[in-house]
Each structure stands twice: as C-alpha cells, then as structure tokens.
Amino acid sequence: MSRPQIIDRPVLGRPAAATARPLLWWRLGCLALMLGSVAAFVVVAAIALHTVLGQQLDTASFQAAAHGQTLLWRFGHRVLDTMSIVLTALLVAVAIAALRRRWLLAAQAALVMGGASLTTELLKLVVLQRPNLLGAYTELANSLPSGHTTLAASAAVTAMLFAPRPARPLVALLGAAYTAAVGVSTLTGRWHRPSDVVCALLVVAFWGGLAALVASYETGARAKREVGGAGRVPRRSRGLPAVLVTCFGVAVATGAGAVFALLRTASVMPAGGVPTDLDRSSELLAYAGGALGIVSVTALVFALLLVLRERPGSAAPELWETSA
C-alpha cells in the first residue's frame, strides 16, 4: 500500500535571514517557557510547602473536597480509570514511530513523558519535603508534584506531537480538557492538593518546551538545506486562532476566579494551625479556588505549548507529518 502524500505549495529560494529570524524567536520562546516554568514551580512550591498560609490554603481545599465526593467523584473516578488505556496507546504510538525511524518524534515523546515522570518522582520522593507548620495536623506527607497529573498532561502533550498539523489545535484543546479533568479529579478524590497538580503541570510545561527546542534545531537544519531551492509551506492548522482564544480566555477567567476565591479564603484563616473551624461556604470557596486554579494553569500551559508547536514564521518542512 502506498504511503499518503501531502501536496504542498512550492516556495522559491529564500534568504537565510528569512528562516533564521523565525527560528531565533521560536527558540527564545522555548527558553522563556522553560525558565518561566522553573520560576513558577519554585514560587508555588515554596509557598505551598514552607509557609503557614500556603499549607492552610492547600489543607482547606483538600478537606473541602469531601463535599465533591458525590456526583463529581463518580465522574472523576472514571476519568482516572482511563489513564492506563491512554498511556498504553501512546506507548504503542511511540514504538511505531521508532520502528518507522521517525527518531525525532520518538525522542520528543520520550523527553516529554519520560523526563516529566522522572522529574516528578525525584522531586516528590527525594528533593522536596513538607514540614509540619500546622501543629497537630498529621496529613502532611509530601505529595508535590502530582504523578497522576504529570502522566495525564505528558500524555496529552505527546498526543499533540503525533497529531497532524491541521488537527493539532483540536488535539490540544481535548488534551487540555482531559488534563484538567484528571487534575481536578485528584483533588476531588482527595489524592492530591491543588499545589501538587499545579506543580505537575509546570513540570510538563518545562519538558514540553525542551521538546519544542529540540525540534527547532532539526527544523533549522532542514531549512538550511532548502535555502536557495524549493521548499514547502506546511498546511495551516485548522481552528488555531479559535482554540488559542478559548484557552487564553479560560486561563484568564478561571485564574481571576481562583485568585478571588483564595484571597477570600485567606482572609478567614486563623493565625496558625489547622483551618478546622471554617464554615461550609468558606470551605466550598477554598475548594473552588483550588479547582479553578488547576483549570487556569492547564489552559495556559497548553495554549503556550500549542503556540510553540506551530513554529511561528517558519517555512521549513513539517516535521510531524508523513511525507511522500
């Protein structure tokens, strides 16, 4: 059976600067995402693990999640049960990519899934600790970052790698929705605190940025070979502006809601100790703040990774699609 062909517009010779500038901006964007993810991780982890207020907010949201263990948990439990199926399918896809000698694609998938999972386990089990700043409270074993969220987010990002360019925005949107559902479900099931999920997303953002940086150098090498000759313009992604507007809009709206809820919760916290005397409305506000924060960071991370996957301004060959 013949392999599918992609019909592309020919591009006449173009000066080296025409490809060098977009590649430079692409690489700077990758580095900015990686450094920003590390900085945000350090800030969130420091507040959540080593401040009284941070532990109180995490604890209040964690305890309030018991209110959601009715209808929400029935849905959340099923979402978490799908993870093994999703991961198995993606591992098979990575193996197929390697067998077809699409080494760059397989390497990026390994970077995102393997690197993010290994980083999460090392941080959680070896590097980070959660000191007891709340007195008699005993549920303080460190669970940051969340392994479940790391697996879900890295699987969704890997699916973006394998998706054909025209379908990539839709895959990113579905992946973000799935990741947010898993992250909120770990909170609803009281498996993880909100900061655990947020930090897991930042770990995946770092490795996703690194994978895009690796791709930029392969794109640069191909672009140099095509300078002065015929090249091709990749097919335009379908619905990219709408997906980006949706993701950034959700990130801003839910982020504002999370900040409002957490600030209101912080205003009723005791000076120290476990927040056990909160009324039901304050507990639900804490729970909503944690859940909205998870959704906001998820939408932002996937929007930024989608932008990087698009390789802005590059007219070099598409790396992820099958060529003739």
Side-chain angles (χ1 to χ4, degrees):
M1 181 179 296
S2 61
R3 299 171 64 188
Q5 295 185 353
I6 294 176
I7 300 176
D8 302 288
R9 291 192 286 118
V11 180
L12 300 179
R14 52 194 185 276
T19 55
R21 284 192 295 270
L23 284 172
L24 175 61
W25 284 109
W26 182 17
R27 291 165 184 167
L28 289 176
C30 295
L31 290 172
L33 177 60
M34 294 167 63
L35 293 175
S37 299
V38 172
F41 183 98
V42 171
V43 171
V44 173
I47 294 174
L49 297 178
H50 299 289
T51 69
V52 172
L53 181 59
Q55 288 195 6
Q56 285 180 325
L57 290 173
D58 253 356
T59 300
S61 184
F62 181 81
Q63 291 178 334
H67 296 297
Q69 290 184 331
T70 52
L71 180 61
L72 286 177
W73 179 236
R74 293 176 192 172
F75 170 76
H77 186 68
R78 292 175 182 175
V79 170
L80 294 174
D81 285 343
T82 65
M83 291 186 63
S84 60
I85 300 174
V86 172
L87 290 173
T88 300
L90 284 172
L91 289 174
V92 171
V94 172
I96 293 174
L99 290 174
R100 295 181 61 190
R101 297 185 179 180
R102 299 182 70 184
W103 303 117
L104 179 64
L105 183 56
Q108 288 181 88
L111 264 179
V112 174
M113 297 183 68
S117 296
L118 180 60
T119 301
T120 290
E121 294 306 311
L122 287 175
L123 288 171
K124 179 164 54 179
L125 301 177
V126 178
V127 178
L128 299 176
Q129 295 182 350
R130 183 181 291 268
N132 189 348
L133 303 180
L134 302 183
Y137 191 60
T138 57
E139 295 183 31
L140 280 171
N142 181 54
S143 54
L144 184 151
S146 164
H148 291 84
T149 306
T150 298
L151 288 174
S154 60
V157 172
T158 302
M160 288 174 57
L161 301 181
F162 283 90
R165 186 184 181 94
R168 191 176 300 150
L170 177 60
V171 173
L173 187 62
L174 294 176
Y178 177 73
T179 301
V182 170
V184 174
S185 295
T186 62
L187 173 61
T188 303
R190 302 182 75 187
W191 292 7
H192 283 285
R193 305 169 178 90
S195 63
D196 302 347
V197 178
V198 169
C199 285
L201 292 167
L202 295 173
V203 169
V204 174
F206 173 87
W207 286 99
L210 181 59
L213 184 62
V214 170
S216 74
Y217 285 94
E218 176 66 14
T219 299
R222 292 192 182 186
K224 287 180 181 179
R225 292 197 295 268
E226 292 192 350
V227 170
R232 64 178 189 164
V233 175
R235 293 180 297 177
R236 187 182 302 275
S237 296
R238 296 171 186 167
L240 177 63
V243 170
L244 289 178
V245 168
T246 299
C247 287
F248 282 121
V250 168
V252 171
T254 54
V259 170
F260 171 79
L262 293 177
L263 287 177
R264 288 292 300 271
T265 304
S267 67
V268 298
M269 285 294 174
V274 186
T276 55
D277 297 328
L278 298 180
D279 56 42
R280 181 182 176 86
S281 62
S282 296
E283 288 185 340
L284 290 176
L285 199 60
Y287 177 53
L292 289 173
I294 290 170
V295 174
S296 177
V297 176
T298 302
L300 180 60
V301 165
F302 275 83
L304 293 175
L305 287 175
L306 180 58
V307 170
L308 292 180
R309 301 314 308 176
E310 287 300 305
R311 303 174 293 109
S314 174
E318 173 58 56
L319 298 181
W320 325 120
E321 298 178 357
T322 303
S323 57

